[in-house]
Amino acid sequence: MFVCETDLFRLCLTRNKLKRMKPNKGKTLTRERDYVYKFSAGNEDMVLTVPLKFPVQENINHLHGRLMALHNLPCFIENDLKQSLSKFVEEETIKDYDREAEVALEAVKSGKVDINQLADTWAKAYKETTLEHAKPEETSWDEDFADVYHDLIHSPASEMLLNLEHNYFVSISELISERDVELKKLRERQGAEMDKVMQELGKSLTDQDVNSLAAQHFESQQDLENKWTNELKQTTAIQKQEYQEWVIKLHQDLKNPNNSSVSDEIKVQPSQLRESVEGNGRIYEEQRLLEESFTIHLGAQLKTMHNLRLLRADMLDFCKHKRNHRSGVKLHRLQTAMSLYSTSLCGLVLLVDNRISSYSGIKRDFATVCQECTDFHFPGIQEQLEIVQKVVLKARAQRSSKTKRHHENKINGNEDKLKNIERNQSNILPGEFYITRHSNLSEIHVAFHLCVDDNVRSVNVTARDPAIMGLRNILKVCCTHDITTISIPLLLVHEMSEEMTIPWCLKRAELVFKCVKGFMMEMASWDGGISRTVQFLVPQTISEEMFYQLSNMLPQIFRVSSTLTLTSKH
């Protein structure tokens, strides 16, 4: 059965509707043209007329197949129809391109288009899309400095670097000691003044006089603290610039084979560690360190060896520079500095509240330790927290709008939850964490600030608790970012309290041990099975008896490698 021209035209209208469902992208004008194909079937001459919109965005083979099927066309014209259709589309498309090109050239000749702007647009397009014309990728200053530092710290010049870093550290420590002394004197003087005023209260002075004096005292403290903050910020900025310039210059001098004086200076470089003035008794007290080490193998078929350590220590002990142990300063700093730009980074987990700040608790103590030594490689702790705050606000706004749309689609939406989301835009949720990078701490390079709430102090913490899932995500980040040593608070607290009894501690330790074991077995699929060191820390106030109970629990949960003792027959 053959199809007449009128029936074909009705079918073309249907085809047009299908074409309108796909809007053209860009500013290209669409033009409609009729494709006419004539063929003979016996004694009858047939005409196929199809209106097509140009530019044609559909595959020619699909269009040809649809025409054959819908119009019930004879098979002997299939190849000829395909060639004719392809030729028609190609010729008409070229005509359209030529027509558009002529219009564009006329616009340039008449001055309607700025030729310089057009040239810049073409040049930008070539640079962004064609590798041959693209600019060579330029390394940043941070990358150049990192390469230079990595070369120097693995050379005989490492001792010079450590001496200079330590001397800068002592300078900042002395400045902080002066600040603490001055603030202490101010508070003592203000305390004496307030005592005198309180004695005269109700006699010659009123409550308004007391409030006025308190406001003056607060303003004086703020002025003094701002003065010292600005001075510390200025000093650290100068130290960082001097240090980086000196490192670059030293590297250039060492690359010069004719400059033998620098090499000789490095060879005879004495130990020039300045004595730090321990003003205000600012020496960190150390308790007797309790430590147990284990070697384990995890995995079903291909086993991976890991090292586990159980320590009774303060989490910040891994961050503080031990100024009362001058002989060990170089060893600690050398190990940390040599692995700064390596695939063996060290990290620790700090348990913090949901506010991104450094004003209270362990966050304030950690920020204080970070500010005691200039960070020559990364931004300061306050700058990093400001960046994290901006990212959280942006992410929370996106999540809030998405959640709001989701609840609007539901008839019975939870209005209280929506109000809570809108109210706490700048806070993070339990189980979420943010990361800060450091080169100025004693034994770590990365700090994971894990958000926890008061629920971690209860007995009902399970393996699905946000804090536990946060640990899993932290271990996953360690696998993907070359952090091979991680320190974890075993009891998910930094300080002991009354409700933390012996059964509470045993139950919590068992939960964390088992969960971390499961997460470490997952690591094999994340990183291919790399040996790592996991350190479990318990608070310093825990008893020795409790510590050794936890130590006995660990080998029962993990598969500890047994030692083999070889003895001679004779």
Side-chain angles (χ1 to χ4, degrees):
M1 177 182 176
F2 298 105
V3 189
C4 68
E5 186 174 355
T6 309
D7 295 331
L8 284 174
F9 187 74
R10 290 197 193 100
L11 211 55
C12 294
L13 294 178
T14 306
R15 167 70 189 145
N16 263 343
K17 292 177 182 177
L18 292 172
K19 287 289 291 178
R20 289 191 192 100
M21 294 174 64
K22 280 192 169 185
N24 290 321
K25 297 180 180 179
K27 299 181 180 179
T28 306
L29 295 176
T30 58
R31 297 181 179 87
E32 188 174 289
R33 295 184 182 85
D34 288 339
Y35 166 67
V36 180
Y37 178 74
K38 298 179 181 180
F39 63 97
S40 298
N43 297 326
E44 294 188 53
D45 292 331
M46 308 297 293
V47 178
L48 174 68
T49 304
V50 182
L52 296 178
K53 280 190 176 181
F54 285 82
V56 178
Q57 297 180 351
E58 192 164 334
N59 189 294
I60 298 298
N61 293 329
H62 295 170
L63 179 58
H64 167 258
R66 184 174 297 179
L67 291 176
M68 290 293 298
L70 293 179
H71 296 289
N72 222 0
L73 298 176
C75 61
F76 60 82
I77 68 166
E78 181 176 356
N79 293 333
D80 187 58
L81 175 63
K82 185 175 182 180
Q83 292 177 4
S84 174
L85 180 62
S86 300
K87 184 178 179 181
F88 175 78
V89 170
E90 183 179 357
E91 289 177 352
E92 294 298 324
T93 301
I94 291 175
K95 288 179 182 178
D96 285 342
Y97 286 154
D98 291 342
R99 194 177 297 109
E100 291 176 5
E102 289 293 335
V103 173
L105 288 174
E106 285 297 327
V108 173
K109 291 178 182 178
S110 62
K112 293 180 181 179
V113 178
D114 185 5
I115 192 168
N116 294 323
Q117 184 179 0
L118 188 62
D120 293 339
T121 305
W122 273 98
K124 182 181 178 182
Y126 268 102
K127 287 178 182 178
E128 291 179 352
T129 58
T130 310
L131 182 62
E132 181 182 354
H133 300 280
K135 282 185 177 180
E137 189 173 345
E138 298 178 358
T139 57
S140 64
W141 161 260
D142 293 336
E143 292 175 346
D144 291 337
F145 179 74
D147 293 337
V148 169
Y149 180 84
H150 188 73
D151 290 341
L152 288 180
I153 202 65
H154 289 83
S155 72
S158 59
E159 188 170 0
M160 294 180 69
L161 292 178
L162 295 180
N163 288 339
L164 182 60
E165 289 180 11
H166 182 76
N167 291 339
Y168 278 143
F169 162 64
V170 172
S171 299
I172 294 293
S173 299
E174 293 172 352
L175 205 60
I176 292 176
S177 298
E178 293 177 18
R179 178 200 65 184
D180 293 345
V181 169
E182 195 166 338
L183 286 172
K184 183 180 179 182
K185 288 180 180 179
L186 177 64
R187 293 190 183 101
E188 290 175 351
R189 186 173 68 250
Q190 290 179 346
E193 291 178 1
M194 185 59 71
D195 290 340
K196 290 181 181 179
V197 171
M198 293 302 294
Q199 292 175 2
E200 296 296 325
L201 182 63
K203 300 177 183 177
S204 60
L205 299 175
T206 62
D207 291 340
Q208 186 176 358
D209 296 324
V210 175
N211 293 336
S212 176
L213 180 63
Q216 292 177 10
H217 287 174
F218 179 76
E219 187 176 351
S220 299
Q221 284 190 23
Q222 289 294 310
D223 292 341
L224 186 60
E225 288 178 357
N226 291 336
K227 170 204 164 188
W228 280 105
T229 300
N230 294 332
E231 188 167 348
L232 282 169
K233 189 180 295 185
Q234 184 179 2
T235 303
T236 52
I238 293 173
Q239 286 187 356
K240 187 172 184 177
Q241 183 178 355
E242 288 179 351
Y243 180 84
Q244 291 183 345
E245 291 176 353
W246 182 82
V247 167
I248 296 294
K249 184 177 182 302
L250 178 63
H251 186 261
Q252 292 173 349
D253 292 342
L254 289 175
K255 288 175 66 176
N256 185 4
N258 299 326
N259 197 347
S260 59
S261 59
V262 178
S263 301
D264 296 338
E265 182 181 353
I266 291 174
K267 291 178 182 178
V268 298
Q269 178 73 17
S271 178
Q272 297 177 349
L273 292 178
R274 285 175 53 192
E275 294 284 351
S276 59
V277 179
E278 304 293 347
N280 266 353
R282 300 180 73 250
I283 303 178
Y284 300 115
E285 297 181 0
E286 290 189 2
Q287 292 185 346
R288 176 172 171 248
L289 180 66
L290 293 179
E291 176 183 348
E292 291 284 345
S293 298
F294 305 88
T295 301
I296 64 169
H297 290 86
L298 291 178
Q301 295 179 346
L302 183 62
K303 299 188 183 301
T304 305
M305 184 180 72
H306 301 280
N307 297 316
L308 302 182
R309 296 176 69 198
L310 179 65
L311 298 96
R312 186 182 73 174
D314 186 354
M315 190 66 77
L316 296 183
D317 287 345
F318 295 95
C319 308
K320 299 171 183 175
H321 293 281
K322 301 172 180 60
R323 285 171 285 174
N324 54 332
H325 290 285
R326 196 164 67 88
S327 60
V329 167
K330 281 188 180 181
L331 295 178
H332 280 293
R333 284 297 304 141
L334 182 62
Q335 181 180 4
T336 308
M338 291 184 72
S339 57
L340 180 60
Y341 296 105
S342 71
T343 56
S344 301
L345 301 176
C346 301
L348 62 78
V349 178
L350 292 176
L351 305 176
V352 299
D353 57 30
N354 61 352
R355 296 183 299 274
I356 302 174
S357 63
S358 58
Y359 300 129
S360 61
I362 196 169
K363 297 187 296 183
R364 180 185 58 195
D365 299 336
F366 179 73
T368 301
V369 174
C370 292
Q371 292 167 355
E372 287 184 343
C373 186
T374 303
D375 196 320
F376 302 109
H377 302 264
F378 306 115
I381 179 68
Q382 295 299 336
E383 296 177 55
Q384 294 192 51
L385 291 180
E386 290 174 3
I387 295 173
V388 171
Q389 185 72 74
K390 292 178 182 177
V391 174
V392 168
L393 285 172
K394 184 178 179 181
R396 195 69 73 229
Q398 295 175 350
R399 184 181 298 179
S400 177
S401 62
K402 185 177 180 181
T403 306
K404 191 180 296 184
R405 288 196 303 269
H406 175 71
H407 283 278
E408 285 175 355
N409 294 334
K410 291 185 176 182
I411 299 177
N412 299 321
N414 192 341
E415 296 181 0
D416 294 336
K417 187 174 181 181
L418 280 175
K419 291 179 180 178
N420 189 43
I421 291 173
E422 293 175 357
R423 191 182 303 119
N424 301 321
Q425 289 285 333
S426 61
N427 294 343
I428 60 176
L429 303 176
E432 296 180 338
F433 61 91
Y434 53 93
I435 302 172
T436 54
R437 303 170 298 161
H438 309 275
S439 67
N440 57 338
L441 301 181
S442 177
E443 299 178 43
I444 70 154
H445 308 101
V446 179
F448 296 92
H449 305 255
L450 175 62
C451 176
V452 296
D453 53 15
D454 292 336
N455 187 49
V456 295
R457 297 180 176 273
S458 69
V459 188
N460 301 321
V461 173
T462 64
R464 304 299 300 176
D465 189 83
I468 298 294
M469 299 311 297
L471 285 180
R472 177 185 181 275
N473 294 330
I474 287 174
L475 289 176
K476 192 168 186 177
V477 172
C478 292
C479 291
T480 55
H481 291 80
D482 299 323
I483 301 173
T484 55
T485 301
I486 182 71
S487 301
I488 299 172
L490 176 61
L491 304 180
L492 299 181
V493 293
H494 291 306
E495 296 178 353
M496 300 295 292
S497 56
E498 293 180 357
E499 70 270 13
M500 299 175 188
T501 59
I502 292 179
W504 184 95
C505 293
L506 293 175
K507 184 177 179 181
R508 176 61 56 83
E510 182 181 8
L511 172 68
V512 175
F513 278 147
K514 288 182 177 179
C515 290
V516 170
K517 178 184 178 181
F519 301 154
M520 292 176 69
M521 294 182 72
E522 281 187 89
M523 286 184 187
S525 61
W526 295 338
D527 60 11
I530 295 177
S531 180
R532 300 185 183 277
T533 299
V534 179
Q535 302 184 140
F536 298 100
L537 271 67
V538 295
Q540 288 181 314
T541 53
I542 204 169
S543 64
E544 290 191 25
E545 179 184 359
M546 184 74 252
F547 177 84
Y548 287 115
Q549 287 188 45
L550 299 177
S551 175
N552 294 331
M553 180 190 297
L554 192 148
Q556 296 174 8
I557 296 175
F558 293 88
R559 182 179 297 176
V560 178
S561 302
S562 58
T563 58
L564 181 62
T565 304
L566 300 178
T567 57
S568 175
K569 291 183 179 180
H570 302 289

